[in-house]
């Protein structure tokens, strides 16, 4: 399903033309009037040094530089009781720098010859139907759920193919459900069956025929509190239940926050990965005053297995970060984090994050206790004026150390800019 740059550009042009060729006819309804279209350019440099390699892959460094483009079109709805619309997403990734000894950053596909592809692209669409406050979507989807989090942490985001329904008929309550039958990974063009990860270890040896989900989020207390209950099933591999609570409480000049969650995961159906038994609890507490936000987090894994999730996704676990997950068998971990928004000092657009996480009690299966730790530093700035107003710059530096998996020194530099086309 790989396409060249010219082919992708042509397809996007045809999509726009077909959607807006008869504006006069549609001017009296929201299909065109409520349509939005954006194009994001994302320039991404990613480097990981593995100073103490553990495992079968003995590659000592992953380092690549790439340019991505993400086109999103979301139409309004046709008039009437039953409104119909369409969402379109087009993605293009271009290689700027790579070599066979530095691949597998997750930015670019790796070909059979061991080299990164020069480019990769995808164009997908979803038909959407709305009745009252209920919406049905069929086609290319990007769900963001506690049991399947939206994982936009590389050059291009992943997508899924299937059907979903969302309903907000009752005040404060949103109910969702759906079935996904395939995925397009963050650095691939085509569709693949879904696979699992246990902790940090991909389980590529088996695949599932589908992922099913259902859940509800209820907001109350003037939207300062919410409760969540979710179910996810990666067919014949694992099923998972989630309960969550979020709360925000003003207290003088401070705003206190709490994010609590509990997962219970078991093997499913044919048990293609054998028995799975994991219970995960996390808590992330916060205190905000002015530009300062302080966090304290605890996360515990219980049972005989690591935390399962769909490959290659992140999860909303409180101590999971894009480098280490702190979600291996029996692991206990603590996090301290400090964010500062420099708008409080008269520098809007400049933000920073410093975070330290330490984990222990890991059942490595090798007769010793596993331990790991990670320090993250993130700086971000969005230009507030001038011809490049809106340009985002983000720098990330990571040091991660472990006695049972590879040590990592990581650097990322991300430039992003979004044009509003409609």
């Amino acid at each position: 399903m790989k396409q060249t740059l010219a082919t992708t550009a042509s397809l996007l042009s045809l999509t726009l033309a077909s959607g807006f060729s008869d504006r006069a006819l549609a001017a009296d309804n929201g299909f065109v009037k409520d349509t939005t279209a954006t194009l994001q350019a994302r320039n991404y440099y990613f480097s990981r040094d593995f100073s103490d390699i553990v495992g079968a892959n003995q590659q000592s460094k992953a380092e690549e530089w790439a340019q991505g483009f993400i086109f999103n079109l979301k139409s309004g709805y046709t008039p009437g009781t039953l409104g119909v619309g369409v969402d379109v997403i087009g993605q293009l990734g271009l290689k700027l720098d790579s070599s066979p000894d530095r691949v597998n950053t997750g930015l670019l596909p790796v070909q059979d010859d061991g080299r990164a592809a020069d480019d990769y692209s995808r164009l997908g669409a979803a038909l959407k139907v709305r009745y009252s406050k209920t919406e049905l979507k069929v086609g290319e989807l990007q769900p963001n759920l506690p049991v399947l989090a939206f994982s936009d942490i590389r050059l291009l985001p992943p997508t899924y193919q299937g059907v979903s329904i969302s309903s907000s008929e009752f005040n404060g309550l949103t109910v969702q459900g759906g079935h996904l039958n395939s995925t397009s990974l963050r650095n691939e063009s085509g569709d693949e069956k879904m696979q699992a990860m246990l902790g940090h270890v991909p389980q590529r040896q088996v695949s599932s025929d589908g992922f099913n989900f259902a859940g509800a989020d209820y907001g109350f207390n003037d939207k300062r509190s919410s409760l969540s209950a979710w179910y996810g099933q990666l067919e014949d591999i694992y099923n998972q239940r989630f309960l969550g609570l979020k709360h925000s409480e003003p207290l003088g000049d401070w705003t206190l926050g709490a994010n609590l969650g509990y997962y219970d995961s078991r093997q499913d159906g044919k048990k293609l990965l054998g028995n799975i038994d994991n219970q995960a609890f996390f808590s992330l507490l916060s205190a905000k005053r002015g530009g300062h936000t302080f966090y304290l987090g605890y996360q515990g894994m219980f049972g005989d297995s690591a935390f399962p999730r769909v490959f290659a996704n992140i999860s909303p676990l409180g101590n999971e970060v894009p480098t280490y997950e702190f979600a291996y068998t029996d692991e206990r971990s603590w996090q301290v984090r400090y964010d500062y928004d420099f708008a409080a000092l008269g520098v809007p657009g400049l933000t920073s994050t410093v975070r330290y996480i330490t984990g222990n009690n890991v059942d490595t299966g090798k007769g010793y206790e596993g331990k790991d730790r990670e320090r993250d530093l993130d700086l971000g700035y969005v230009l507030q004026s001038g011809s490049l107003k809106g340009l985002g710059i983000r720098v990330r530096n990571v040091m991660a150390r472990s006695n049972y998996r590879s040590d990592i020194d990581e650097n990322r530099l991300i430039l992003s800019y979004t044009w509003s086309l409609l």
Side-chain angles (χ1 to χ4, degrees), residues 333-356:
S333 60
W334 288 91
Q335 173 185 175
V336 289
R337 170 178 165 180
Y338 171 65
D339 291 2
Y340 188 71
D341 186 342
F342 287 82
L345 291 179
V347 189
L350 180 62
T351 57
S352 66
T353 295
V354 180
R355 173 172 45 209
Y356 182 78

Side-chain angles (χ1 to χ4, degrees), residues 366-387:
K366 299 178 181 179
Y368 64 90
E369 176 189 358
K371 299 180 180 181
D372 40 23
R373 56 190 170 90
E374 176 172 335
R375 187 270 304 146
D376 302 337
L377 172 61
D378 287 273
L379 292 172
Y381 182 63
V382 178
L383 273 66
Q384 302 295 297
S385 60
S387 58

Side-chain angles (χ1 to χ4, degrees), residues 44-50 62 105 153-154 321-324 374-378 394-401 407-413:
Y44 209 125
Y45 168 79
F46 184 103
S47 173
R48 272 185 181 174
D49 284 297
F50 305 99
T105 63
I153 59 174
R154 290 295 196 275
V321 289
T323 304
Y324 278 0
E374 176 172 335
R375 187 270 304 146
D376 302 337
L377 172 61
D378 287 273
R394 182 184 171 195
V395 178
R396 176 178 172 83
N397 175 262
V398 174
M399 180 199 69
R401 298 291 182 265
D407 294 345
I408 294 175
D409 291 304
E410 178 181 297
N411 290 287
R412 307 187 194 195
L413 174 60

